[in-house]
Amino acid sequence: MAARGEGGAKPEEPPGDPVVVGPFVLRASVVPVDTSATSPPMSLDFVVKASNSSDTSAVLDVQGCAAWPRVYASPTGAAAPVWVVPGATCQQAPYADTIAPGGEAAFDFFAQNAMVEYALPDGRYYASVHFRMAEDSVVLTAGSFDVRLRTPGLSYHVTVRQREDGAVASVVATNSNPTPTYVEWGACSVGLALYKDPGRTDLAALWSQGTVCPSYLAFTTLAPGGRLAPKEFVRHFSSPELRRASDLAAGRYYLAVNLGVNCHAYRFPAGVVQVW
């Protein structure tokens, strides 16, 4: 899937020029991790490298969590960031790093896939990293990067069967890639959403299964042409439970099936449903 806005609207941007602080030359970059089809969903590593340009060892005193990223939707960074890390999340104490002459030390913030999924939909973004030293901090431009949690080459067959007591939704995933593809899903991967309009913009209610989802992940590597239909891709939804949980009026609603796979949320229009 192409990054959102490619083709001129969102150009690539290289990392910014190095910043010199005393004997140290500071550079920032963003390193995408796990981007192959056989890897788990991607993560992002925001890295600051500090090089000692002097001919003697030098001590670099930094605050805990020295590399602190900010992410922007535009290359200039003039607008407010679309994602920042809450300051209260750092539990690391300040420390000192002794760097040999001509040597280098790396400081990073690793954003795991679940954090990326929560903060950043697929698309192109631009990052700066606040490098927090003991007495001062500098802002380093880290350049552009692409978030691509939507796994290409996976197709989905969605079925919803209405029953007297509600509905049953099922999904079958097929790997259309010529290579094996990693697939990861959770205990409650499938959900239903009811909308008042055919464009599915006016949400009436989310239709849950009425049970607490166990906290686990399942995964497999799906062979080319392989099909995946685990038990988590089939769920029964109770109409009485929906009415009790949402105070939804009886009537006819436009239906969508929500699916969570590889840290990406998919929504599939699925006809209409009668709630009573």
Side-chain angles (χ1 to χ4, degrees):
M1 176 182 177
R4 183 181 59 196
E6 284 186 359
K10 284 204 170 184
E12 293 185 2
E13 182 178 74
D17 294 332
V19 174
V20 177
V21 178
F24 302 108
V25 180
L26 308 176
R27 297 175 175 86
S29 62
V30 184
V31 181
V33 180
D34 289 335
T35 57
S36 72
T38 56
S39 300
M42 70 176 296
S43 303
L44 296 168
D45 199 12
F46 299 87
V47 182
V48 173
K49 291 185 177 180
S51 302
N52 181 4
S53 61
S54 70
D55 55 4
T56 60
S57 295
V59 177
L60 180 57
D61 292 304
V62 297
Q63 300 182 38
C65 308
W68 216 240
R70 293 185 178 181
V71 174
Y72 299 85
S74 65
T76 63
V82 295
W83 179 64
V84 296
V85 183
T89 60
C90 181
Q91 303 297 321
Q92 186 180 33
Y95 64 99
D97 201 332
T98 301
I99 305 176
E104 183 178 81
F107 306 83
D108 74 328
F109 182 97
F110 188 72
Q112 295 182 336
N113 49 46
M115 186 180 294
V116 177
E117 170 203 10
Y118 175 79
L120 302 173
D122 281 10
R124 176 160 291 166
Y125 298 92
Y126 306 84
S128 66
V129 180
H130 287 222
F131 187 61
R132 311 191 307 173
M133 296 170 287
E135 302 297 331
D136 196 5
S137 65
V138 295
V139 179
L140 306 168
T141 300
S144 62
F145 62 95
D146 293 337
V147 172
R148 295 179 178 174
L149 290 173
R150 182 184 179 95
T151 305
L154 292 179
S155 60
Y156 303 94
H157 180 77
V158 179
T159 304
V160 179
R161 301 184 302 276
Q162 184 150 10
R163 305 189 339 182
E164 290 185 0
D165 62 342
V168 176
S170 61
V171 178
V172 178
T174 301
N175 180 18
S176 302
N177 293 305
T179 57
T181 300
Y182 177 92
V183 185
E184 177 182 286
W185 65 96
C188 298
S189 295
V190 175
L192 295 182
L194 305 182
Y195 295 86
K196 299 176 183 177
D197 64 311
R200 291 167 176 81
T201 59
D202 189 0
L203 181 66
L206 294 174
W207 196 351
S208 66
Q209 193 179 29
T211 59
V212 176
C213 291
S215 179
Y216 69 83
L217 285 176
F219 60 90
T220 189
T221 299
L222 197 59
R227 302 174 73 214
L228 178 67
K231 61 183 177 63
E232 292 88 354
F233 283 14
V234 180
R235 297 186 70 192
H236 171 244
F237 299 87
S238 165
S239 184
E241 287 181 357
L242 171 66
R243 295 287 304 279
R244 288 195 297 269
S246 63
D247 196 27
L248 187 71
R252 184 172 177 268
Y253 294 90
Y254 296 91
L255 183 67
V257 175
N258 296 326
L259 176 70
V261 170
N262 283 359
C263 288
H264 188 88
Y266 298 84
R267 185 182 70 173
F268 305 103
V272 297
V273 67
Q274 187 72 32
V275 176
W276 60 89

